[in-house]
Structures are given as structure tokens and as C-alpha cells.
């Protein structure tokens, strides 16, 4: 979890190491350029001692030095300008990326309820830190980065060395403030004589010339030692392999290259993004110091390549670095309204220059004109060190060892003794005069935080005792004498505090803290308050954020090694500001890692600071790092009901992914913004939707361009609208359509019928099945379901028939506040046809990404396509789509596909058109869930659900023995002149038409109704003409053989009527008409009358025995005439002429009431009284015929009639009509 590759102690030692300036003659550089290296680059891999060394402090105590590192710098190099330094730091961060891609399963850590994928290291931060420390300009308050000595080389005699010595002296005395700066006037000067072993291509073939060159070099070396001293001179033999041999070995990939890891990584020819390199010392540094140099030929003395870690390609000197990412800013919740950054004293300000040439951060010398690196014969630049053998490597190692042991360490001992002696003599006098006065008159200021307004300008002379003591402490620290350095820093920081020299005071306090940490690396004590005071003084008093940053970088490593992650995080956060976005981003990211590495990890603080870091990365143009930081934070906020924070992260991830051309990741991020739990405003949701559609369309275009000529893959899933899958309904059969010629088709079952699955339908079906099976119900009988919903028993698959529609109702929910436009909406299905061979059937699907129409699939299943559906914000709309199967098999509905679009600019009544709407095509799955099981103990203790096969249809019928498929018969029932309104007790004649619209004959046509008294069927023939109501038996042909009869039982509501068919069969495409009479209910109001028609195919099968047709009639009955009849025997009934007669007293009452908002009968006229009997007839007792008998609302009239008994055949019904008026009924209806 963001572990640095170096331990804290190693990092501090590498940061504060002795600096040595190198001044080379042009001839020496030419010798080094044979290896494509400068002299500084040549010795760079060997600048760390692999053996122990010893040094004495001014008190003559011996100290052991381990792993001493020497920093070589070219004297002619210069620190880059401020703008160029910023560009260098931006580039090293941009070119360093994590090794693992986001989404992998490496480095997954479980913390509480979170499973976080964390980066194991942050190489971009380490690269930034290394670059920052190298380009950090030196300061007057310390001498840690000043050069201690000079190393030079030449192939000429002593005069050349004297010239180089004069150049160095001139620079030190005339330009003391320019780089390089010198530690003290008496710097160490070390002289190196380079000898090219193979000087000239023919050197190794001419033994005499070779020996003469060696003797001349040895003579010059002896002269050097006599002039400058043996301890500061060295003869270095290099280039033991000739150029000709190097050219032959150049293509060998096994040659070692220990220089590549020290050269400027920004000059690499290719950008190795994502590489996670282990930067460390080469394999030769791990070996022991060689006791002797073994000479050998260049072909045999080649190092084992396994000892070298090659981390970057070859790079030529002075090549241009890769440009940094362009900065792009956009509206952001964390962005400030005004940018008040002050770039003064900030190397990593976000303002980037336009230059493309980057100075070498290693401060290596750039070859002058005419001294370019040697190239191979084919024009390519050779590798590094091609002319060096392993013997040359050992010589370089010996050279650095002798330089340190024989020259540098003795010089350091001498300088520390001199500084100590001077301080002892001068400091005593200084203290005796001034210290007492300072103690009495305001000296010994507290070492706490200093006010910003306090004067901090204190100028010391170069030989001031305070600076001499600081030099002594710095020199002791550089050579690992940490205890001595700590006491010296602690002593001098009091003097700086007393003098109000706050910049010097902060530097001494910083180094006192670090030296105490290095003196006791295993102890838990760390002077955290020292470093806090130093950082605060740097920032607030001295206004020097550069050295505050350096102190923070060093201090946080020490704190993390002590497991003080919370304190380290606070120091990182303290250095964040608006003046440097890149620095703030890196430090905020490190603070986040500190929070996650605490003993009790603070996950939410980690995520919050990663978001802040991602925002700063975005502002500085580091898009990849911004994307990575936001992706890390999303792991914490995702699914935790922090919807607004999650939306912000997803939106930023989508934007950054799109800018990086990662369209798939951008689409996935924007998709998460379109959720049903979104709490965003209308404008934000509209913006999110437009972003999603735009990016997704770009992704589709990209995929289409890369898959030209290939089959289109499956459609991707769209996030909106939301489908309420469990509310999906399936209807088998046609929907009734109302005809304009007063004909009404059988209604059947439909989605808007709330009682489609009422138990009454199963009761009617049972009555019909029992009637067809001689009063018994088959054992395998299962009620027929025409409407399958979540409340029906869906354990068995619905059965559909070839050529008959299957309609599916899907409930679409728009969770957003913006309008959605769906076009070309259709059903997605998968069909497995039934074949009658041994070959296995292949499933067929209509899913196609390019169009809603698929010609091949449409021949198998005719699928309806809805052209356009508009869903308003937060709207819920049912959508009905029909399928018509054309083959037998198994049909599964898997989802819907559609084009999703939204108007680009809403408002002002703008209608969606192709010009202002962006559409993308996708799908959504339909997955229904069965009922929860709760029978057994296991089912109760766990969530288990039963099967739900309402979307798995079986298409019938099938004739396997004939290997052909035959369609089932299909009955269509039409009600002609069916009344919508009846009077209570009114009888109305209607005509029923039965049509077989199927392709096979049917028989056994039956009718059952929940109200059998509502309808009576007649025989085949014409309906009665007005004013007659009933059908006369004389008008019915073959009345005696009429088979329209009622199977009566005690429960009249279960009566079943057999309907007579010509020859008992209704052929395909044939229609018969049968008259019927309907009677209004005796109770006024709206009444539902349910009919069920039963029929069987003549060519039936065991799986499909019968079929049903439903119809529901809605009749509004109005209160009208109430009739009460009483029969009395008359006084004169004893006379022969009046025997067998009686008087009928009829009380007629108009019970309708006048209502303002409801239909009612205003007035009734009595026209005729009829008696239907086989024994009696009626006549009027009145001698006068009244032309009008009217009964108003709530009026009653008495009417007397005489009933006379006559002889008649019992089997015939006699109708007797007595006219009592002219007009039958006059109705007045008021609404």
C-alpha cells in the first residue's frame, strides 16, 4: 500500500550525500564518449562504497561509515530555470504510471466492509521527489549541497591540470553565488589521468606502440604525484575493448548496462507507461571490493546480465523529453472562483513553458559542438559502455574507493578539526562579550512559531562562528556522524534563535530532527515538534515553501518508519496550497495512503483525500493520475448511499476517461449516473444523459469501425428506463375490436381487465368441461390461463398457437426528471424450433445491433415494432407489444431493445426530431421472479423462489406422425345489436355470429354464463320483426329437431347451453348466426355479465383438448315499470259461459326517479300486454280503447284483464296479444 522502494534511512542518506564537482578537459570527454557517456555518467554507477570506511570526529572518536554515496556533478552544468524545472517535474509524473490496471485483482485489501484495490507503490511520487530534490536551488543557510572537491582529467601533462585548476579557482572566487557553490575555500582537488588502453584501432596489434603509450601514461602519473601529492592523484585505465570489437558486440542483448538506471529517464525514446521498476544499485555494487584486477580479452570478460537491472532505453545526451499533458480545466465542485496562486519560490507551479528541451536533472555535462556521441556504422547510437570490459568496471570501482578512502575522508577529518579549533577559540571570546548581554536584554527567544511580521533578514559573514558551526554540523552529517551532528545543530539553532535568523534557525532545527532520527533509527523517539516548528517557520515566517517541501518529504519518511501515519498525513496536508497543484496533488495522495495505513485505517479519510488529489491532478493536466485517484476513491463511496458524492466521482471519471480516449470506461461511468435513486436536479440529470448518449455513440462508432465485415455482437444494456419485470403480463389471443356497424366481438381477456383471472372463469370452465365429459371432470384438468401475471400459477409454460398473437405488457419507469424518447421498441426473444429429425435444433434470436428489423427472424416470429414512446419525467407507462409465431417450438422472451434518446435542448415546447435528438441502441433484460417458497424449514430459513415460466412459451400444435404442423381452430364470437342500456326486466333481441377463423373445423360448441337468466338462445333463423319480441315457432325451420336446449340443474348459475351447429361441425372460415334474447336485471344499475364459449377441435390431441373464448358484457339497467298481478275468481265464474276464467288485477308503477346527473325514465306509455302460455289467453275488460295510457315518474295505474282457459296441445306455446294503446313506450332521458 504505497510503500517506497527505499527505506527512510537510505532515502535520507541519498538525499544528503557529499557533492563532488567534476571539471574535464575536452580530450577526456572524447575518451568517455566512445562509450556514449560523459565522465560523470561513466562513474555514476560506482559512486557508492560497498565496503565499510572509518572516520574520526574532532574529539578523535572513530565512526563507521556504511554505504557512503558520492554525488558527482558536472561543474559546467547549471540548474534549470524555474519554468523548465516545473516542466521536468510534470513530465516525470506524467511518464510514471501504475503497473497494474485498475480493475485487476492484485493488491486487494479487506478493511471492514470494504474490499479495496490499492496500489502497492507510487513511483510517480518518488520520481517527483527525486527530481524536486535535484533541481532545488542551494540556500545560504546550509552547506549540505555545496561541493566538497574537484575531480578532473586530461591526457596531456601537468600544464593542462594547472589550467583546469585555475578555472576552478576563478569560478570559486569571482562567482561565489553561482552553481556550483563551494563548501569552504580550501576544497579538495583530486586529479584523474585517463588512459585509453586501445587508443587507435591498431593499438592492440602493435605491441611496441601499446607499451610506449603505457609507459608515457605512467610517467605522467608519477609527475602528477610529485606535483600534487600521491593521495589526490589517480591513473584510470579505460576502453579495454576496441571500437571494432564493440561494434560486433553491440547487438548482443546480454551485455550489461549499469548506466541506464542513472541516466535521465525523460530522454527515453519510448514511453514505458505502467512499468514498475525497482530502482537500486547495480549488481556489481553488491559484490565485495575486488582485491585485484583480472586482465582479459574484451570478448570473454563480459558481466552476467542478471546482475544488472535495465530500467530504461538508451538515451542520447541533449535529446528532447516527451511533452507534458496539456492542461484542460472545466467546471468542478472543488474549483476556486479565482486563482490567486503566487508562483514565486515554487518550482512546480502549474504554468508550463513551451520549451521542449529539458536540461539533464543529473547536472551532467552536455557535449559541445563537434563532440557528439559516436554512432555505429549503420547510423544508430551504440549502447552504454560498449568499450568497457569487466576489468574496466573494477578499475572504476577501485578509483572511487581510493578517492573516498585516501582523499575525501581524510580531507573531511581535517576540515572538521579546523572548524572545531576555530570555533573553540573564536566562540569563547564571542560568548564572553555578547552572550551575557543577550540573556539580560531579550535574548534566548523561544523556539516556537514566529510571527509572520517579524523581521527575518539576518546577514552573517562567511567566517561567522554560527556559519562555521553549521558547516561543522553539515560535514559531520554528510559523513554519517549523526550524534555529533545532532549536538552541533542543537547548539547552533539556539544562536540563530537568539539572533532572530529564522531561516537559519529553521534549517538547523530541521537537520537536528533528522540527525537525531538517523542516530537512533530503531528507537521510537522522533522529535516531531522540531520538524513541525521548522516547517511552520519555513512557510509562515520565511515564506520559503521549497525548503518546507523538502523538510516535509524527509520528515514524513521518518514518521512513516515510526508508524506515525497520522502525523505524516497532517504534514502532507499542511503543504497543500493553491500555488502548486502538482505538489498538492502528490502530497494529498500520500496523505490518503497514510490514513489507510494507520493501525485503525480511516477509509473515508483516504477516499476524501484521494478525491482532493484527483481534483488537483486534473487542474495540472495529469489526466491519467486524476482518473486513477478518482477510481480509487470510488471504491469507498460506491454503494454506500452517498449518491451525490458518487455522482460527482462517476462524472469526473467519465470526463477523464473520455479525454483519454477510454470510451468504454467513460460509458460505464456515465451509465452509473442514470439511476433510479438519483437526487440530482433536472438540469444535472439532463447534462448527465446527454454526456452518456454522446460518449456511448462515440463508442459504438469506434466499435463499428473496428468490426467492419464481422458479425455484430450482442446489444449492450442501457440503464434507463427501468423495467418493472415482475409486473410483466402475457396475454394469449386477440383483443376484441369494436365495429362501427353495431357489432361487438368477444372481448376475451386483456390487461386492463382487473378480473381476467377471477375464480369465476375457472368455475365456468369446469362446468363446460363437465358438460362435455358427461358430468365428470378429467383428472388431468388444469384451468386455462389466458392472462399470466405475477399473481397466477406460472409453474407451467403458457401454450400459444401458430398464427395467434401473444401480447406482452411491459411496465417502463422513467426514474429521471427529464424526458426520455424511445424509438423502434420491440421484443427480444430466443426461439428453439421443433424439427423432426435427429439433428439438434439451433436457437434463433432476433437481437441485432444495427436495426430493429431482422428479416430472417421476422419470418419465424412476426414481432411488432413501436415507432416511438415518449416517457415524461418520473413517468410510468405500460407498453404492449405483440408477437405472432409462425412455427412450432419453444419461445422465450428475454427482453426489449430500443433506441434511447433525449432532446438536446428542452423547453419552449420543443418537439423531439432527428435533428435535435441523439439516439443510441441498446437493450434491457426481462427477468421475472417466482413466488417465494415458504413450505419447508429450509425454505423458511432462506430466500428461495419458485419457478415462473410466464415468459417461456410453448407454441402448438404439432403432428409428429405426419411431420406437418396444422393450425388449431379459432372461434370468433360477434354480438350484433347488443344493447348497452336496458330497462329493468326489458327483453331485447340480439344476434350472435360464430365464425371459425382458424384452419381446422371445430365442434361441441357450448355456452356458459354467470347469469344464465340474462340470455336465452333461439333457433336458426331470422330474429322477430317489430313490434314482436319473441320468435314464433312457426318461423323456425325444423323446430322439433332444434337442439338449442338448456342442461338444467338445481344450480341455475352453472347452466350450460349447447349451441347447434350445421351437421355438428363449424368448418374453417364459416359463420353461423343464432338469435338470442337478453333480459334486463330487475335491479337498476351497471351489471357485468360474463360469458364463456367452449369448443373442441375435430382433430384433437391429448395435450390440447379444448379451447375457450371469453366475453364480458356491461349492461346499464334503468329502473322503469314495476308490475304486480293478482288473479281472482269472478262472481260469475259459475255460469257455463264463464267457466275456467279469472280476473287479473295488474298494478303498474313507474318506479323511476327524476335525477339531474343520472339517466332515468321520465314517462312510460303502455301499448300492449302479452301472455305467453300453453293454457291461458287474456283479454281486456274495458269496452273503450284508450289511445294513450301514460304513467309518469313515481305514478301507479291499475289495469284489469280477463284470463280465459283454452284447450291446447301441451307441447305448444300460445302467444296472446291484447292491444291497449297505440305506442309501446315513450322514454324521457335526462342527463
Amino acid at each position: 500500500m504505497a510503500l517506497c522502494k527505499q527505506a527512510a534511512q537510505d532515502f535520507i542518506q541519498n538525499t544528503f550525500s557529499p557533492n563532488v564537482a567534476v571539471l574535464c578537459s575536452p580530450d577526456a570527454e572524447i575518451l568517455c564518449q566512445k562509450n556514449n557517456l560523459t565522465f560523470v555518467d561513466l562513474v555514476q554507477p560506482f559512486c557508492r562504497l560497498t565496503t565499510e570506511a572509518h572516520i574520526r570526529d574532532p574529539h578523535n572518536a572513530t565512526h563507521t561509515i556504511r554505504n557512503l554515496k558520492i554525488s558527482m556533478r558536472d561543474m559546467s552544468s547549471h540548474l534549470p530555470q524555474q519554468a523548465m524545472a516545473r516542466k521536468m517535474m510534470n513530465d516525470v509524473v506524467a511518464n510514471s504510471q501504475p503497473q497494474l490496471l485498475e480493475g485487476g485483482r492484485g493488491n486487494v485489501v479487506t478493511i471492514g466492509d470494504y474490499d479495496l484495490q490499492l496500489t502497492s507503490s507510487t513511483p510517480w511520487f518518488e520520481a517527483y521527489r527525486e527530481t524536486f530534490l535535484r533541481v532545488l536551488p542551494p540556500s545560504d543557510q546550509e552547506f549540505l549541497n555545496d561541493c566538497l572537491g574537484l575531480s578532473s582529467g586530461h591526457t596531456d601533462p601537468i600544464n593542462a591540470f594547472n589550467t583546469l585548476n585555475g578555472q576552478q579557482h576563478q569560478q570559486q572566487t569571482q562567482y561565489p553565488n553561482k552553481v556550483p557553490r563551494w563548501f569552504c575555500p580550501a576544497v579538495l582537488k583530486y586529479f584523474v589521468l585517463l588512459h585509453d588502453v586501445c587508443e587507435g584501432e591498431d593499438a592492440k596489434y602493435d605491441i611496441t606502440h601499446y607499451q610506449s603509450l603505457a609507459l608515457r601514461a605512467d610517467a605522467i602519473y608519477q609527475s602528477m604525484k610529485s606535483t600534487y601529492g600521491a593521495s589526490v592523484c589517480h591513473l584510470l585505465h579505460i576502453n579495454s575493448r576496441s571500437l571494432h570489437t564493440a561494434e560486433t558486440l553491440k547487438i548482443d542483448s546480454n551485455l550489461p548496462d549499469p548506466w541506464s538506471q542513472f541516466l535521465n529517464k525523460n530522454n527515453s525514446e519510448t514511453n514505458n507507461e505502467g512499468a514498475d521498476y525497482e530502482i537500486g544499485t547495480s549488481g556489481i555494487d553488491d559484490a565485495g571490493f575486488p582485491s585485484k584486477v583480472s586482465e582479459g580479452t574484451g570478448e570473454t570478460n563480459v558481466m552476467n546480465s542478471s546482475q544488472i537491472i535495465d530500467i530504461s532505453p538508451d538515451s542520447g545526451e541533449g535529446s528532447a523529453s516527451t511533452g507534458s499533458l496539456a492542461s484542460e480545466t472545466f467546471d468542478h465542485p472543488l474549483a476556486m472562483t479565482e486563482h490567486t496562486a503566487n508562483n514565486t519560490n515554487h518550482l512546480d507551479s502549474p504554468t508550463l513553458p513551451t520549451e521542449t528541451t529539458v536540461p539533464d536533472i543529473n547536472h551532467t555535462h552536455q557535449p559541445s559542438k563537434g563532440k557528439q556521441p559516436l554512432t555505429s556504422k549503420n547510423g544508430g547510437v551504440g549502447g552504454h559502455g560498449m568499450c568497457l570490459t569487466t576489468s574496466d568496471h573494477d578499475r572504476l570501482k577501485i578509483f572511487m574507493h581510493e578517492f573516498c578512502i585516501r582523499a575525501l575522508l581524510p580531507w573531511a577529518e581535517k576540515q572538521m578539526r579546523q572548524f572545531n579549533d576555530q570555533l573553540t577559540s573564536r566562540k569563547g571570546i564571542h560568548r564572553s562579550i555578547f552572550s551575557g548581554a543577550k540573556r539580560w536584554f531579550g535574548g534566548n527567544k523561544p523556539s516556537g512559531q514566529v510571527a509572520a511580521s517579524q523581521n527575518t533578514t539576518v546577514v552573517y559573514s562567511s567566517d561567522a562562528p554560527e556559519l562555521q558551526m553549521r558547516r561543522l554540523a553539515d560535514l559531520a552529517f554528510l559523513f554519517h556522524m549523526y550524534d555529533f551532528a545532532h549536538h552541533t545543530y542543537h547548539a547552533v539553532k539556539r544562536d540563530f534563535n537568539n539572533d532572530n535568523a529564522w531561516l537559519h534557525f529553521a534549517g538547523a532545527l530541521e537537520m537536528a530532527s533528522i540527525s537525531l532520527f538517523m542516530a537512533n533509527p530503531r528507537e521510537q523517539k522522533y522529535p516531531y515538534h522540531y520538524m513541525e516548528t521548522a516547517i511552520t517557520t519555513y512557510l509562515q515566517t520565511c515564506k520559503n515553501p521549497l525548503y518546507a517541501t523538502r523538510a516535509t518529504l524527509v520528515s514524513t519518511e521518518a514518521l512513516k518508519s515510526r508508524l506515525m501515519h497520522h502525523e505524516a498525513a497532517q504534514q502532507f496536508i499542511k503543504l497543500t496550497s493553491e500555488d502548486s497543484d502538482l505538489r498538492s496533488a502528490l502530497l494529498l495522495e500520500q496523505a490518503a495512503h497514510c490514513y489507510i495505513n494507520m493501525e485503525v485505517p480511516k477509509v473515508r479519510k483516504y477516499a476524501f483525500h484521494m478525491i482532493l488529489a484527483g481534483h488537483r491532478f486534473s487542474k495540472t493536466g495529469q489526466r491519467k493520475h486524476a482518473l486513477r485517484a478518482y477510481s480509487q476513491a470510488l471504491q469507498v463511496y460506491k454503494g454506500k448511499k452517498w449518491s451525490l458524492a458518487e455522482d460527482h466521482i462517476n462524472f469526473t471519471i467519465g470526463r477523464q476517461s473520455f479525454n483519454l480516449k477510454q470510451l468504454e470506461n467513460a460509458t460505464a461511468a456515465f451509465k452509473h449516473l442514470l439511476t433510479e435513486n438519483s437526487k440530482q436536479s433536472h438540469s444535472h440529470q439532463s447534462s448527465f444523459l446527454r454526456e452518456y448518449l454522446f460518449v456511448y455513440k462515440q463508442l459504438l462508432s469506434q466499435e463499428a469501425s473496428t468490426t467492419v465485415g464481422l458479425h455484430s455482437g450482442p446489444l449492450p444494456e442501457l440503464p434507463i428506463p427501468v423495467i418493472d419485470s415482475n409486473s410483466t403480463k402475457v396475454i394469449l389471443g386477440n383483443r376484441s375490436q369494436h365495429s362501427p356497424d353495431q357489432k361487438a366481438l368477444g372481448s376475451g381477456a386483456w390487461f386492463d381487465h382487473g378480473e381476467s383471472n377471477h375464480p369465476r372463469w375457472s368455475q365456468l370452465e369446469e362446468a363446460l368441461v363437465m358438460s362435455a365429459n358427461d358430468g365428470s371432470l378429467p383428472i388431468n384438468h388444469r384451468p386455462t390461463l389466458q392472462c399470466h401475471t405475477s399473481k397466477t400459477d406460472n409453474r407451467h409454460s403458457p401454450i400459444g398457437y401458430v398464427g395467434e398473437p401473444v401480447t406482452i405488457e411491459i411496465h417502463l419507469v422513467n426514474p429521471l426528471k427529464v424526458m426520455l424518447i424511445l424509438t423502434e421498441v420491440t421484443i427480444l426473444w430466443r426461439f428453439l424450433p421443433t424439427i423432426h429429425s435427429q439433428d439438434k435444433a439451433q436457437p434463433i434470436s432476433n437481437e441485432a445491433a444495427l436495426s430493429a428489423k431482422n428479416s430472417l427472424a421476422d419470418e419465424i416470429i412476426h414481432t411488432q415494432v413501436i415507432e416511438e414512446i415518449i416517457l415524461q419525467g418520473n413517468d410510468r407507462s405500460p407498453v404492449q407489444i405483440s408477437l405472432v409465431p409462425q412455427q412450432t417450438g419453444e419461445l422465450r422472451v428475454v427482453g426489449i431493445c430500443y433506441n434511447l434518446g433525449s432532446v438536446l435542448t428542452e423547453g419552449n415546447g420543443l418537439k423531439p426530431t432527428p435533428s435535435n435528438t441523439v439516439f443510441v441502441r441498446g437493450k434491457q433484460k426481462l427477468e421475472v421472479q417466482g413466488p417465494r417458497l415458504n413450505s419447508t424449514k429450509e425454505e423458511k430459513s432462506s430466500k428461495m423462489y419458485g419457478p415462473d415460466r410466464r415468459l417461456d412459451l410453448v407454441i402448438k400444435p404439432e403432428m409428429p406422425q405426419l411431420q406437418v404442423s396444422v393450425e388449431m381452430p379459432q372461434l370468433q364470437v360477434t354480438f350484433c345489436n347488443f344493447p348497452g342500456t336496458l330497462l329493468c326486466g326489458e327483453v331485447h333481441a340480439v344476434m350472435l355470429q360464430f365464425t371459425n377463423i382458424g384452419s381446422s373445423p371445430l365442434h361441441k360448441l357450448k355456452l356458459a354464463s354467470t347469469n344464465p337468466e340474462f340470455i336465452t338462445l333461439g333457433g336458426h333463423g331470422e330474429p322477430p320483426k317489430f313490434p314482436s319480441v319473441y320468435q314464433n315457432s312457426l318461423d323456425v325451420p325444423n323446430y322439433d329437431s332444434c337442439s338449442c336446449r338448456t342442461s338444467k340443474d338445481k344450480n341455475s348459475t352453472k347452466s350450460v347451453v349447447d349451441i347447434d351447429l350445421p351437421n355438428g361441425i363449424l368448418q374453417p372460415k364459416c359463420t353461423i348466426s343464432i338469435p338470442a334474447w337478453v333480459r334486463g336485471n330487475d335491479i337498476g344499475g351497471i351489471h357485468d355479465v360474463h360469458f364463456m364459449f367452449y369448443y373442441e377441435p375435430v382433430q384433437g390431441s391429448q395435450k390440447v383438448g379444448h379451447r375457450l373464448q371469453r366475453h364480458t358484457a356491461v349492461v346499464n339497467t334503468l329502473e322503469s315499470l314495476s308490475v304486480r298481478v293478482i288473479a281472482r275468481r269472478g262472481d260469475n265464474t259459475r255460469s257455463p259461459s264463464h267457466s275456467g276464467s279469472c280476473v287479473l288485477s295488474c298494478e303498474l308503477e313507474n318506479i323511476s326517479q327524476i335525477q339531474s346527473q343520472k339517466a332515468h325514465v321520465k314517462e312510460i306509455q303502455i301499448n300492449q300486454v302479452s301472455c305467453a302460455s300453453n293454457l291461458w289467453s287474456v283479454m281486456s275488460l274495458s269496452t273503450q280503447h284508450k289511445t294513450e295510457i301514460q304513467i309518469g315518474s313515481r305514478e301507479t295505474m291499475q289495469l284489469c284483464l280477463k284470463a280465459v282457459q283454452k284447450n291446447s296441445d301441451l307441447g305448444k306455446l300460445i302467444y296472446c296479444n291484447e292491444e291497449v294503446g297505440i305506442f309501446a313506450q315513450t322514454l324521457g332521458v335526462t342527463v
Side-chain angles (χ1 to χ4, degrees), residues 785-843:
L785 288 176
Q786 286 187 292
C787 181
H788 296 262
T789 67
S790 58
K791 298 180 180 179
T792 57
D793 185 3
N794 300 320
R795 291 176 297 175
H796 305 280
S797 298
I799 298 177
Y801 300 96
V802 173
E804 298 185 16
V806 177
T807 308
I808 301 170
E809 182 180 78
I810 302 171
H811 288 262
L812 302 179
V813 182
N814 181 6
L816 305 181
K817 302 173 184 177
V818 298
M819 180 178 64
L820 299 181
I821 304 172
L822 311 182
T823 60
E824 296 185 4
V825 184
T826 187
I827 290 289
L828 289 178
W829 47 260
R830 189 182 301 112
F831 184 74
L832 185 65
T834 301
I835 59 176
H836 308 287
S837 63
Q838 296 181 354
D839 298 335
K840 186 176 180 181
Q842 297 296 325

Side-chain angles (χ1 to χ4, degrees), residues 154-424:
H154 201 279
T155 56
D156 289 340
I158 307 300
N159 293 334
F161 287 104
N162 292 333
T163 302
L164 295 177
N165 191 11
Q167 294 178 4
Q168 185 274 331
H169 180 74
Q170 181 182 5
Q171 192 274 342
Q172 182 179 1
T173 56
Q174 296 183 4
Y175 308 101
N177 295 325
K178 288 188 177 181
V179 178
R181 301 179 61 171
W182 305 97
F183 191 85
C184 61
V187 296
L188 171 67
K189 296 179 182 180
Y190 196 82
F191 303 90
V192 181
L193 179 65
L194 298 182
H195 174 58
D196 191 350
V197 177
C198 294
E199 187 180 47
E201 288 293 329
D202 57 346
K204 68 176 182 179
Y205 302 106
D206 190 349
I207 302 299
T208 305
H209 180 58
Y210 180 82
Q211 292 177 350
S212 64
L213 290 177
L215 292 174
R216 180 171 179 269
D218 186 67
I220 297 174
Y221 178 60
Q222 296 298 328
S223 176
M224 289 171 54
K225 290 195 294 184
S226 62
T227 303
Y228 304 111
S231 61
V232 294
C233 297
H234 187 84
L235 175 62
L236 179 61
H237 295 76
I238 59 173
N239 298 338
S240 298
R241 184 183 292 122
S242 65
L243 285 176
H244 176 75
T245 305
E247 286 292 333
T248 59
L249 296 177
K250 185 182 65 174
I251 59 175
D252 189 357
S253 60
N254 293 326
L255 291 177
D257 189 5
W259 294 272
S260 59
Q261 58 182 322
F262 296 97
L263 298 179
N264 188 4
K265 304 179 185 63
N266 290 334
N267 291 333
S268 60
E269 296 177 354
T270 58
N271 184 12
N272 293 331
E273 289 189 4
D276 195 3
Y277 304 122
E278 295 293 335
I279 301 178
T281 57
S282 62
I284 56 176
D285 290 339
D286 297 332
F289 186 77
S291 58
K292 63 178 180 178
V293 177
S294 59
E295 299 291 344
T297 61
E299 290 78 0
T300 57
N301 295 331
V302 179
M303 292 187 63
N304 188 355
S305 63
S306 62
Q307 297 176 351
I308 305 301
I309 302 176
D310 189 0
I311 65 170
S312 64
D314 298 341
S315 59
E317 295 295 330
S319 61
S321 68
T322 57
S324 62
L325 295 175
S327 176
E328 176 180 337
T329 59
F330 48 85
D331 291 341
H332 197 286
L334 299 178
M336 296 184 65
T337 55
E338 295 183 0
H339 185 70
T340 57
N342 182 10
N343 293 333
T344 307
N345 293 328
H346 293 279
L347 294 176
D348 48 359
S349 174
T351 305
L352 299 181
T354 58
E355 294 91 347
T356 58
T357 304
V358 180
D360 187 5
I361 60 175
N362 293 325
H363 306 285
T364 56
H365 175 66
Q366 303 293 330
S368 60
K369 184 177 180 180
K371 302 176 183 178
Q372 299 298 325
L374 297 179
T375 58
S376 61
K377 293 180 181 181
N378 57 8
V381 179
H384 302 124
M386 299 298 294
C387 295
L388 301 178
T389 64
T390 53
S391 299
D392 294 330
H393 293 180
D394 291 339
R395 292 190 187 100
L396 289 170
K397 201 170 185 180
I398 293 173
F399 156 64
M400 289 304 303
H401 183 269
E402 290 189 355
F403 169 70
C404 294
I405 300 300
R406 299 179 56 185
L408 185 60
L409 295 181
W411 175 87
E413 290 182 2
K414 178 181 177 182
Q415 291 298 320
M416 284 190 293
R417 285 195 297 270
Q418 291 179 358
F419 290 148
N420 188 62
D421 295 341
Q422 293 175 6
L423 289 173
T424 302

Side-chain angles (χ1 to χ4, degrees), residues 680-693:
Q680 298 289 347
S681 63
H682 179 278
S683 59
H684 284 169
Q685 289 183 356
S686 179
S687 174
F688 293 163
L689 180 58
R690 288 195 301 268
E691 293 274 358
Y692 171 74
L693 295 177

Side-chain angles (χ1 to χ4, degrees), residues 679-895:
K679 297 180 180 179
Q680 298 289 347
S681 63
H682 179 278
S683 59
H684 284 169
Q685 289 183 356
S686 179
S687 174
F688 293 163
L689 180 58
R690 288 195 301 268
E691 293 274 358
Y692 171 74
L693 295 177
F694 176 77
V695 174
Y696 184 51
K697 195 167 186 178
Q698 295 287 329
L699 176 62
L700 292 181
S701 301
Q702 177 180 321
E703 292 178 348
S705 62
T706 57
T707 57
V708 176
L710 303 177
H711 296 288
S712 58
L715 289 171
E717 293 189 37
L718 297 177
I720 51 175
V722 178
I723 296 181
D724 189 358
S725 297
N726 267 5
S727 298
T728 302
K729 300 179 183 179
V730 179
I731 285 288
L732 305 175
N734 289 309
R735 184 181 186 182
S736 64
Q737 298 179 356
H738 296 283
S739 177
D741 54 355
Q742 297 183 354
K743 292 183 180 180
L745 299 177
S747 61
W750 199 245
F751 304 110
D752 53 1
H753 292 178
E755 297 184 351
S756 296
N757 297 313
H758 196 277
R760 68 168 63 90
W761 295 112
S762 60
Q763 295 172 3
L764 291 176
E765 183 181 2
E766 289 180 5
L768 290 168
V769 172
M770 291 176 63
S771 175
N773 290 274
D774 299 329
S776 63
L777 191 66
I779 300 177
N780 59 349
H781 171 72
R782 187 170 69 245
T784 302
L785 288 176
Q786 286 187 292
C787 181
H788 296 262
T789 67
S790 58
K791 298 180 180 179
T792 57
D793 185 3
N794 300 320
R795 291 176 297 175
H796 305 280
S797 298
I799 298 177
Y801 300 96
V802 173
E804 298 185 16
V806 177
T807 308
I808 301 170
E809 182 180 78
I810 302 171
H811 288 262
L812 302 179
V813 182
N814 181 6
L816 305 181
K817 302 173 184 177
V818 298
M819 180 178 64
L820 299 181
I821 304 172
L822 311 182
T823 60
E824 296 185 4
V825 184
T826 187
I827 290 289
L828 289 178
W829 47 260
R830 189 182 301 112
F831 184 74
L832 185 65
T834 301
I835 59 176
H836 308 287
S837 63
Q838 296 181 354
D839 298 335
K840 186 176 180 181
Q842 297 296 325
I844 302 172
S845 176
N846 70 330
E847 182 174 349
L850 300 180
S851 174
K853 288 292 185 181
N854 189 325
S855 57
L856 177 62
D858 195 59
E859 293 179 1
I860 300 173
I861 306 291
H862 293 173
T863 308
Q864 179 187 4
V865 178
I866 300 178
E867 293 300 328
E868 184 180 73
I869 298 175
I870 297 180
L871 291 176
Q872 299 297 332
N874 297 324
D875 188 17
R876 179 186 180 96
S877 175
V879 177
Q880 291 134 17
I881 307 177
S882 298
L883 308 172
V884 182
Q886 304 298 319
Q887 292 186 15
T888 59
E890 298 178 3
L891 175 64
R892 176 173 178 79
V893 178
V894 296

Side-chain angles (χ1 to χ4, degrees), residues 10 22 177 194 331 443 455 479 531 623 626 662 808 829 886 930 981 988 990 1075 1087 1164 1228:
D10 296 335
V22 178
N177 295 325
L194 298 182
D331 291 341
N455 184 16
F479 291 96
M531 191 61 76
R623 292 173 179 168
Q662 300 177 10
I808 301 170
W829 47 260
Q886 304 298 319
T981 303
H988 187 82
V990 298
H1087 302 275
I1164 297 176

